[in-house]
Amino acid sequence: MTTITTVKTVERRRPAGRAAAKVGRPGIAWAAPAAVFFVLFAIVPLVLVALLSFATWNGLGSAQFVGMDNWTKLFDDPVLVKSLWLSVLITVLGVVVQTPLSIVLGVWAAGQQRNRAVLSAIFFIPLLLSATAVSVLWRALLDPNFGVPAQVKWLFGDGNLLGEQSSAIGVLVFVGAWQYVPFHTLIYQGAARAIPKVLYQAAEIDGAGRFRQFFHITLPQLRNTMITSGIIMVVGGLTTFDTILILTQGGPGTDTTISAYYMYQKAFKGFDFGVGSAVALVLVIVATIISLVMVRLSGYDKMRSTMEGV
Amino acid sequence: MKRRPNYLAGFGSLLWLFLVALPLYVLLAATLQSRNDYSENGPLGFPDNFTLDNYTNVFSSGFGQYFLNTLIVTVAVVAIVLLLVPPLAFAIVRSRGRMTTGVFRLFLLGLAIPAQAVIVPMFYVISQAGLYDNLIGVILPTAAFSLPMCALILTGVMRDITPDLYEAMAMDGAPTWRVFFQLVLPLSKGGISTISVFSALQAWNGFLFPLVLTQSESTKVITLGLYNFQTQYGMNIPGLLAAVVVSTLPVLLVYLFARRTLVQGLMGVGGK
């Protein structure tokens, strides 16, 4: 069994015939339109955000260069420092809660039984709703006077979950998981299906039980998936915005004001676009470093075939 | 070999089912009763007097216009994505140039650029371009930010086309555009429908760009309408939830017909 797979892999990696190597290969021109469009509307603004962080602009007229002013202002600002910690806290809690759930649900859903397909169809619904709709829904559900806490008092006590920092953070992490676990489940489900059956058959012949199979075959084989899903979770967590705007408005006080929301407040409520840009730049740097490290660790960018490594 | 059913995972998934289904039940049940009945029955109760008043109210408060605006944005975003991403993915998968690897890296990094990070300069650029409070100003950035994910999905699909097929066409001396139109496009139909559904979903559910880049009633999209509804009628929970349902209906309809496409494609994202 093993020999056959090896031969196949070798054949698949054989370089195309010498004469055929150049024919029918697209040049950079094929990638150019998308790249230019993306650079124009994502990379250029990214450069501008860096420039604006050294300027002052109130949304009208033109920007004035002010050097390091925004940055010194920023790092003396206790709310910003607090918001960075809160962003990290909410992101880490999100990854810790969502990853195991998604792996377990994904591996389970990768099975072929009929009932799993039906259940998966229902699991997937929260992902279809906009973050706005999800937040509005949960705010209504958790309303202390008209929501579920008012009806199930023995479980929720006074029921004002959003009125206190720890429970408000709990709610934010829960609502995030409610919305995004289906997506990550799906990613893991696809990856779990792609694990070669031979590995399990071999393990079973060796007498490995389900738990050992899960920890020694499934988890290691899902490594790259964890990287992809992890990057998406981290970036998503750091930039949680709609949920905060609708569920807590950063409150109570500034107890759930994470950086992404603080940036919005500074720029679009306080009309201090320079400081807003500086906060945004901090966010980008953190998110990029994390993704770069994860991409490097996985060697994801160098993979040419989806079959590589099998 | 006989497999024992996996009770632990089965139990976990039932628990999750409960967590997903219960809020959805409350959502539907609340919208079908009047405000007074809702306060009496509580969110978990069963509605006894069915009414559709909440839904008619939603439409009389401007959601028709928001619906139309969102539809325009969605169609335009999908069109841009379909024009740009297939050639891009083809180049990433088949080109041997260093530049294309660089472009792929750019888009992989692009996955990590949060829209939140660029809204300030985006506001600057869009206002300078005279596109503030114009649907085009929402369409362009929304499309740009759905490119990385779509590129990732489609390259995954195109990588699975076996090299033998390319070689066969190369033997015939087929030019690149023929390889693209006659081999690559037909074989990645599945992936192409996935990215259409995915980018449509992004555009329909988009909130941040419209929030920052539009202001008037005539350019309002549906998520923004929902947000305003929440700030104005936060106490009228059945009415508010009816707006949630209305904003979601088209997406649910698409899901009903395109579930396989979307699910299969997104599954590929994590594929090895």
Side-chain angles (χ1 to χ4, degrees):
Chain A
M1 206 56 205
T2 5
T3 30
I4 296 172
T5 26
T6 327
V7 170
K8 261 195 179 161
T9 328
V10 170
E11 219 169 39
R12 212 176 266 127
R13 282 192 196 154
R14 180 171 48 98
R18 253 148 277 114
K22 280 258 160 182
V23 187
R25 287 216 183 261
I28 184 71
W30 289 76
V36 169
F37 187 74
F38 188 67
V39 166
L40 218 57
F41 286 98
I43 308 294
V44 168
L46 204 58
V47 175
L48 278 178
V49 90
L51 292 179
L52 274 174
S53 74
F54 297 101
T56 165
W57 183 51
N58 60 10
L60 297 167
S62 54
Q64 297 286 316
F65 180 77
V66 291
M68 295 299 289
D69 268 19
N70 296 328
W71 291 94
T72 44
K73 231 193 279 174
L74 207 59
F75 282 101
D76 288 337
D77 181 352
V79 183
L80 174 87
V81 179
K82 185 174 164 191
S83 80
L84 283 172
W85 281 115
L86 283 170
S87 309
V88 172
L89 178 70
I90 286 185
T91 307
V92 170
L93 284 176
V95 174
V96 168
V97 169
Q98 292 179 30
T99 305
L101 261 173
S102 316
I103 293 182
V104 169
L105 286 172
V107 170
W108 174 81
Q112 300 292 349
Q113 287 92 324
R114 184 95 195 97
N115 60 344
R116 296 188 189 190
V118 175
L119 284 186
S120 313
I122 300 173
F123 283 169
F124 200 50
I125 293 178
L127 177 62
L128 301 166
L129 311 184
S130 59
T132 324
V134 169
S135 312
V136 169
L137 168 62
W138 278 100
R139 187 165 159 157
L141 283 174
L142 296 175
D143 190 285
N145 300 316
F146 303 105
V148 178
Q151 204 174 1
V152 198
K153 282 209 164 62
W154 56 269
L155 187 61
F156 291 96
D158 76 333
N160 194 1
L161 291 176
L162 296 172
E164 207 181 310
Q165 186 181 33
S166 53
S167 55
I169 290 178
V171 168
L172 289 171
V173 171
F174 173 79
V175 172
W178 192 80
Q179 189 178 15
Y180 293 113
V181 159
F183 173 72
H184 295 282
T185 299
L186 205 62
I187 299 185
Y188 280 111
Q189 184 183 350
R193 284 217 178 124
I195 299 174
K197 296 277 173 295
V198 224
L199 296 177
Y200 291 103
Q201 287 158 6
E204 243 163 64
I205 291 168
D206 290 345
R210 175 173 282 130
F211 279 95
R212 290 198 49 193
Q213 286 182 23
F214 180 76
F215 285 106
H216 289 101
I217 300 174
T218 313
L219 281 189
Q221 288 280 324
L222 291 178
R223 192 173 143 266
N224 285 329
T225 314
M226 287 184 208
I227 307 268
T228 317
S229 145
I231 292 180
I232 299 172
M233 278 183 200
V234 168
V235 176
L238 283 179
T239 55
T240 312
F241 176 78
D242 313 25
T243 333
I244 306 257
L245 179 68
I246 291 166
L247 277 172
T248 68
Q249 279 98 41
T254 54
D255 280 354
T256 57
T257 300
I258 73 165
S259 307
Y261 183 70
Y262 191 52
M263 173 208 66
Y264 170 78
Q265 273 192 321
K266 276 282 171 197
F268 293 96
K269 295 290 161 209
F271 297 105
D272 196 343
F273 287 91
V275 175
S277 298
V279 182
L281 194 62
V282 173
L283 269 182
V284 179
I285 292 171
V286 173
T288 312
I289 290 176
I290 294 174
S291 321
L292 263 182
V293 168
M294 290 173 110
V295 168
R296 258 295 130 83
L297 283 181
S298 67
Y300 195 90
D301 53 340
K302 294 195 197 70
M303 264 182 270
R304 289 214 164 260
S305 157
T306 50
M307 296 304 284
E308 215 162 299
V310 171
Chain B
M1 230 166 294
K2 224 179 148 197
R3 302 283 283 162
R4 240 167 346 107
N6 190 344
Y7 290 113
L8 202 64
F11 175 73
S13 61
L14 279 182
L15 196 69
W16 189 254
L17 177 70
F18 175 76
L19 277 181
V20 171
L22 187 72
L24 295 178
Y25 164 75
V26 176
L27 173 64
L28 272 184
T31 59
L32 295 173
Q33 47 192 326
S34 71
R35 232 177 123 177
N36 285 335
D37 286 352
Y38 176 79
S39 316
E40 255 172 53
N41 295 333
L44 300 172
F46 189 78
D48 29 26
N49 294 313
F50 287 98
T51 165
L52 287 176
D53 285 357
N54 295 314
Y55 288 95
T56 43
N57 282 342
V58 167
F59 277 101
S60 61
S61 55
F63 266 69
Q65 174 75 45
Y66 310 159
F67 224 87
L68 188 67
N69 290 338
T70 320
L71 196 66
I72 294 172
V73 171
T74 305
V75 170
V77 166
V78 173
I80 294 176
V81 164
L82 286 186
L83 210 62
L84 294 180
V85 175
L88 170 74
F90 176 45
I92 287 172
V93 173
R94 287 296 289 170
S95 164
R96 284 275 182 260
R98 283 183 143 268
M99 295 259 283
T100 3
T101 317
V103 169
F104 188 39
R105 289 233 172 103
L106 178 79
F107 279 100
L108 277 183
L109 275 185
L111 278 179
I113 302 177
Q116 278 82 348
V118 298
I119 50 170
V120 173
M122 196 68 84
F123 174 67
Y124 186 85
V125 170
I126 296 288
S127 334
Q128 296 296 321
L131 291 174
Y132 179 73
D133 207 17
N134 183 329
L135 287 181
I136 299 173
V138 175
I139 291 166
L140 295 175
T142 307
F145 274 82
S146 50
L147 289 184
M149 196 56 161
C150 291
L152 194 67
I153 294 175
L154 202 58
T155 43
V157 171
M158 285 186 182
R159 278 196 176 120
D160 287 341
I161 301 174
T162 49
D164 306 357
L165 291 172
Y166 287 109
E167 278 171 44
M169 284 200 87
M171 291 296 178
D172 298 343
T176 314
W177 60 267
R178 254 189 65 196
V179 175
F180 180 68
F181 283 106
Q182 293 186 355
L183 174 69
V184 178
L185 279 193
L187 285 182
S188 38
K189 253 190 229 145
I192 290 172
S193 17
T194 307
I195 61 169
S196 329
V197 177
F198 180 79
S199 54
L201 206 58
Q202 292 285 93
W204 188 272
N205 287 341
F207 176 67
L208 191 61
F209 288 133
L211 174 72
V212 173
L213 301 174
T214 64
Q215 61 171 8
S216 44
E217 197 68 5
S218 61
T219 52
K220 197 167 276 170
V221 295
I222 208 152
T223 44
L224 218 48
L226 203 54
Y227 172 58
N228 283 3
F229 212 77
Q230 144 95 40
T231 40
Q232 280 170 31
Y233 309 102
M235 283 308 174
N236 177 7
I237 288 182
L240 189 58
L241 292 181
V244 170
V245 173
V246 168
S247 79
T248 317
L249 270 184
V251 178
L252 285 179
L253 275 182
V254 171
Y255 182 54
L256 218 57
F257 294 107
R259 192 176 69 84
R260 280 198 90 79
T261 309
L262 188 65
V263 167
Q264 300 282 334
L266 288 182
M267 261 192 220
V269 171
K272 309 190 39 330

PDB file of all heavy atoms in Angstrom, chain B residues 88-106:
ATOM      1  N   LEU B  88      -5.884  35.652 -12.107  1.00  0.00           N
ATOM      2  CA  LEU B  88      -4.895  35.739 -11.035  1.00  0.00           C
ATOM      3  C   LEU B  88      -4.534  34.347 -10.514  1.00  0.00           C
ATOM      4  O   LEU B  88      -3.358  33.984 -10.425  1.00  0.00           O
ATOM      5  CB  LEU B  88      -5.449  36.593  -9.890  1.00  0.00           C
ATOM      6  CG  LEU B  88      -4.642  36.580  -8.601  1.00  0.00           C
ATOM      7  CD1 LEU B  88      -3.376  37.390  -8.762  1.00  0.00           C
ATOM      8  CD2 LEU B  88      -5.454  37.113  -7.436  1.00  0.00           C
ATOM      9  N   ALA B  89      -5.551  33.562 -10.210  1.00  0.00           N
ATOM     10  CA  ALA B  89      -5.308  32.231  -9.660  1.00  0.00           C
ATOM     11  C   ALA B  89      -4.576  31.358 -10.677  1.00  0.00           C
ATOM     12  O   ALA B  89      -3.672  30.603 -10.325  1.00  0.00           O
ATOM     13  CB  ALA B  89      -6.631  31.591  -9.247  1.00  0.00           C
ATOM     14  N   PHE B  90      -4.953  31.497 -11.947  1.00  0.00           N
ATOM     15  CA  PHE B  90      -4.290  30.748 -13.018  1.00  0.00           C
ATOM     16  C   PHE B  90      -2.803  31.079 -13.033  1.00  0.00           C
ATOM     17  O   PHE B  90      -1.940  30.179 -13.071  1.00  0.00           O
ATOM     18  CB  PHE B  90      -4.957  31.108 -14.354  1.00  0.00           C
ATOM     19  CG  PHE B  90      -4.329  30.479 -15.572  1.00  0.00           C
ATOM     20  CD1 PHE B  90      -3.973  29.135 -15.597  1.00  0.00           C
ATOM     21  CD2 PHE B  90      -4.113  31.247 -16.720  1.00  0.00           C
ATOM     22  CE1 PHE B  90      -3.409  28.561 -16.736  1.00  0.00           C
ATOM     23  CE2 PHE B  90      -3.558  30.684 -17.849  1.00  0.00           C
ATOM     24  CZ  PHE B  90      -3.188  29.344 -17.859  1.00  0.00           C
ATOM     25  N   ALA B  91      -2.484  32.357 -12.971  1.00  0.00           N
ATOM     26  CA  ALA B  91      -1.082  32.775 -12.992  1.00  0.00           C
ATOM     27  C   ALA B  91      -0.343  32.249 -11.771  1.00  0.00           C
ATOM     28  O   ALA B  91       0.782  31.754 -11.871  1.00  0.00           O
ATOM     29  CB  ALA B  91      -0.988  34.295 -13.052  1.00  0.00           C
ATOM     30  N   ILE B  92      -0.990  32.325 -10.601  1.00  0.00           N
ATOM     31  CA  ILE B  92      -0.320  31.877  -9.380  1.00  0.00           C
ATOM     32  C   ILE B  92       0.002  30.388  -9.460  1.00  0.00           C
ATOM     33  O   ILE B  92       1.086  29.947  -9.084  1.00  0.00           O
ATOM     34  CB  ILE B  92      -1.210  32.163  -8.141  1.00  0.00           C
ATOM     35  CG1 ILE B  92      -1.226  33.664  -7.849  1.00  0.00           C
ATOM     36  CG2 ILE B  92      -0.695  31.413  -6.926  1.00  0.00           C
ATOM     37  CD1 ILE B  92      -2.209  34.069  -6.786  1.00  0.00           C
ATOM     38  N   VAL B  93      -0.935  29.616 -10.014  1.00  0.00           N
ATOM     39  CA  VAL B  93      -0.746  28.169 -10.026  1.00  0.00           C
ATOM     40  C   VAL B  93       0.223  27.739 -11.126  1.00  0.00           C
ATOM     41  O   VAL B  93       1.045  26.853 -10.933  1.00  0.00           O
ATOM     42  CB  VAL B  93      -2.103  27.459 -10.193  1.00  0.00           C
ATOM     43  CG1 VAL B  93      -1.908  25.969 -10.391  1.00  0.00           C
ATOM     44  CG2 VAL B  93      -2.966  27.705  -8.976  1.00  0.00           C
ATOM     45  N   ARG B  94       0.152  28.377 -12.295  1.00  0.00           N
ATOM     46  CA  ARG B  94       0.903  27.859 -13.440  1.00  0.00           C
ATOM     47  C   ARG B  94       2.156  28.634 -13.798  1.00  0.00           C
ATOM     48  O   ARG B  94       3.026  28.101 -14.496  1.00  0.00           O
ATOM     49  CB  ARG B  94      -0.023  27.802 -14.666  1.00  0.00           C
ATOM     50  CG  ARG B  94      -1.043  26.688 -14.604  1.00  0.00           C
ATOM     51  CD  ARG B  94      -0.399  25.330 -14.621  1.00  0.00           C
ATOM     52  NE  ARG B  94       0.190  24.992 -15.923  1.00  0.00           N
ATOM     53  CZ  ARG B  94       0.963  23.941 -16.133  1.00  0.00           C
ATOM     54  NH1 ARG B  94       1.259  23.128 -15.158  1.00  0.00           N
ATOM     55  NH2 ARG B  94       1.441  23.710 -17.338  1.00  0.00           N
ATOM     56  N   SER B  95       2.247  29.878 -13.384  1.00  0.00           N
ATOM     57  CA  SER B  95       3.426  30.636 -13.794  1.00  0.00           C
ATOM     58  C   SER B  95       4.628  30.209 -12.969  1.00  0.00           C
ATOM     59  O   SER B  95       4.506  29.865 -11.796  1.00  0.00           O
ATOM     60  CB  SER B  95       3.175  32.128 -13.615  1.00  0.00           C
ATOM     61  OG  SER B  95       4.394  32.813 -13.646  1.00  0.00           O
ATOM     62  N   ARG B  96       5.811  30.209 -13.616  1.00  0.00           N
ATOM     63  CA  ARG B  96       7.005  29.848 -12.864  1.00  0.00           C
ATOM     64  C   ARG B  96       7.816  31.089 -12.479  1.00  0.00           C
ATOM     65  O   ARG B  96       8.899  30.974 -11.946  1.00  0.00           O
ATOM     66  CB  ARG B  96       7.877  28.896 -13.700  1.00  0.00           C
ATOM     67  CG  ARG B  96       7.359  27.476 -13.750  1.00  0.00           C
ATOM     68  CD  ARG B  96       7.835  26.676 -12.536  1.00  0.00           C
ATOM     69  NE  ARG B  96       7.376  25.291 -12.597  1.00  0.00           N
ATOM     70  CZ  ARG B  96       6.331  24.842 -11.919  1.00  0.00           C
ATOM     71  NH1 ARG B  96       5.631  25.656 -11.169  1.00  0.00           N
ATOM     72  NH2 ARG B  96       5.978  23.584 -12.007  1.00  0.00           N
ATOM     73  N   GLY B  97       7.272  32.264 -12.792  1.00  0.00           N
ATOM     74  CA  GLY B  97       8.036  33.498 -12.561  1.00  0.00           C
ATOM     75  C   GLY B  97       8.124  33.846 -11.076  1.00  0.00           C
ATOM     76  O   GLY B  97       7.243  33.488 -10.281  1.00  0.00           O
ATOM     77  N   ARG B  98       9.188  34.560 -10.717  1.00  0.00           N
ATOM     78  CA  ARG B  98       9.358  34.979  -9.328  1.00  0.00           C
ATOM     79  C   ARG B  98       8.305  36.027  -8.957  1.00  0.00           C
ATOM     80  O   ARG B  98       7.844  36.087  -7.826  1.00  0.00           O
ATOM     81  CB  ARG B  98      10.740  35.589  -9.126  1.00  0.00           C
ATOM     82  CG  ARG B  98      11.815  34.549  -9.032  1.00  0.00           C
ATOM     83  CD  ARG B  98      13.186  35.149  -8.754  1.00  0.00           C
ATOM     84  NE  ARG B  98      13.945  34.276  -7.866  1.00  0.00           N
ATOM     85  CZ  ARG B  98      13.953  34.395  -6.555  1.00  0.00           C
ATOM     86  NH1 ARG B  98      13.288  35.354  -5.969  1.00  0.00           N
ATOM     87  NH2 ARG B  98      14.658  33.581  -5.810  1.00  0.00           N
ATOM     88  N   MET B  99       7.976  36.855  -9.958  1.00  0.00           N
ATOM     89  CA  MET B  99       6.991  37.920  -9.726  1.00  0.00           C
ATOM     90  C   MET B  99       5.652  37.355  -9.243  1.00  0.00           C
ATOM     91  O   MET B  99       5.034  37.897  -8.331  1.00  0.00           O
ATOM     92  CB  MET B  99       6.745  38.698 -11.017  1.00  0.00           C
ATOM     93  CG  MET B  99       7.948  39.448 -11.514  1.00  0.00           C
ATOM     94  SD  MET B  99       7.853  41.186 -11.108  1.00  0.00           S
ATOM     95  CE  MET B  99       6.689  41.782 -12.311  1.00  0.00           C
ATOM     96  N   THR B 100       5.233  36.273  -9.860  1.00  0.00           N
ATOM     97  CA  THR B 100       3.933  35.721  -9.475  1.00  0.00           C
ATOM     98  C   THR B 100       3.959  35.163  -8.059  1.00  0.00           C
ATOM     99  O   THR B 100       2.983  35.291  -7.326  1.00  0.00           O
ATOM    100  CB  THR B 100       3.472  34.607 -10.436  1.00  0.00           C
ATOM    101  OG1 THR B 100       4.493  34.388 -11.385  1.00  0.00           O
ATOM    102  CG2 THR B 100       2.192  34.993 -11.103  1.00  0.00           C
ATOM    103  N   THR B 101       5.095  34.568  -7.678  1.00  0.00           N
ATOM    104  CA  THR B 101       5.210  34.116  -6.288  1.00  0.00           C
ATOM    105  C   THR B 101       5.078  35.315  -5.363  1.00  0.00           C
ATOM    106  O   THR B 101       4.399  35.249  -4.339  1.00  0.00           O
ATOM    107  CB  THR B 101       6.573  33.434  -6.047  1.00  0.00           C
ATOM    108  OG1 THR B 101       6.853  32.591  -7.159  1.00  0.00           O
ATOM    109  CG2 THR B 101       6.557  32.620  -4.780  1.00  0.00           C
ATOM    110  N   GLY B 102       5.698  36.425  -5.771  1.00  0.00           N
ATOM    111  CA  GLY B 102       5.594  37.648  -4.992  1.00  0.00           C
ATOM    112  C   GLY B 102       4.156  38.108  -4.876  1.00  0.00           C
ATOM    113  O   GLY B 102       3.692  38.489  -3.798  1.00  0.00           O
ATOM    114  N   VAL B 103       3.431  38.051  -6.003  1.00  0.00           N
ATOM    115  CA  VAL B 103       2.025  38.462  -5.988  1.00  0.00           C
ATOM    116  C   VAL B 103       1.227  37.570  -5.044  1.00  0.00           C
ATOM    117  O   VAL B 103       0.398  38.042  -4.257  1.00  0.00           O
ATOM    118  CB  VAL B 103       1.427  38.408  -7.411  1.00  0.00           C
ATOM    119  CG1 VAL B 103      -0.086  38.574  -7.362  1.00  0.00           C
ATOM    120  CG2 VAL B 103       2.045  39.486  -8.278  1.00  0.00           C
ATOM    121  N   PHE B 104       1.511  36.274  -5.067  1.00  0.00           N
ATOM    122  CA  PHE B 104       0.791  35.356  -4.181  1.00  0.00           C
ATOM    123  C   PHE B 104       1.064  35.706  -2.723  1.00  0.00           C
ATOM    124  O   PHE B 104       0.149  35.745  -1.897  1.00  0.00           O
ATOM    125  CB  PHE B 104       1.199  33.907  -4.470  1.00  0.00           C
ATOM    126  CG  PHE B 104       0.354  32.893  -3.733  1.00  0.00           C
ATOM    127  CD1 PHE B 104      -1.015  33.074  -3.581  1.00  0.00           C
ATOM    128  CD2 PHE B 104       0.924  31.752  -3.186  1.00  0.00           C
ATOM    129  CE1 PHE B 104      -1.794  32.149  -2.910  1.00  0.00           C
ATOM    130  CE2 PHE B 104       0.153  30.819  -2.510  1.00  0.00           C
ATOM    131  CZ  PHE B 104      -1.201  31.020  -2.372  1.00  0.00           C
ATOM    132  N   ARG B 105       2.353  35.980  -2.425  1.00  0.00           N
ATOM    133  CA  ARG B 105       2.696  36.397  -1.062  1.00  0.00           C
ATOM    134  C   ARG B 105       1.910  37.644  -0.659  1.00  0.00           C
ATOM    135  O   ARG B 105       1.406  37.742   0.447  1.00  0.00           O
ATOM    136  CB  ARG B 105       4.187  36.724  -0.973  1.00  0.00           C
ATOM    137  CG  ARG B 105       5.061  35.510  -1.058  1.00  0.00           C
ATOM    138  CD  ARG B 105       6.034  35.462   0.111  1.00  0.00           C
ATOM    139  NE  ARG B 105       6.725  34.183   0.088  1.00  0.00           N
ATOM    140  CZ  ARG B 105       7.971  34.034  -0.352  1.00  0.00           C
ATOM    141  NH1 ARG B 105       8.657  35.076  -0.744  1.00  0.00           N
ATOM    142  NH2 ARG B 105       8.529  32.841  -0.362  1.00  0.00           N
ATOM    143  N   LEU B 106       1.826  38.590  -1.610  1.00  0.00           N
ATOM    144  CA  LEU B 106       1.097  39.835  -1.363  1.00  0.00           C
ATOM    145  C   LEU B 106      -0.339  39.537  -0.927  1.00  0.00           C
ATOM    146  O   LEU B 106      -0.852  40.091   0.039  1.00  0.00           O
ATOM    147  CB  LEU B 106       1.097  40.679  -2.639  1.00  0.00           C
ATOM    148  CG  LEU B 106       0.348  42.007  -2.597  1.00  0.00           C
ATOM    149  CD1 LEU B 106       1.203  43.039  -1.888  1.00  0.00           C
ATOM    150  CD2 LEU B 106       0.009  42.487  -3.994  1.00  0.00           C
TER     151      LEU B 106
END
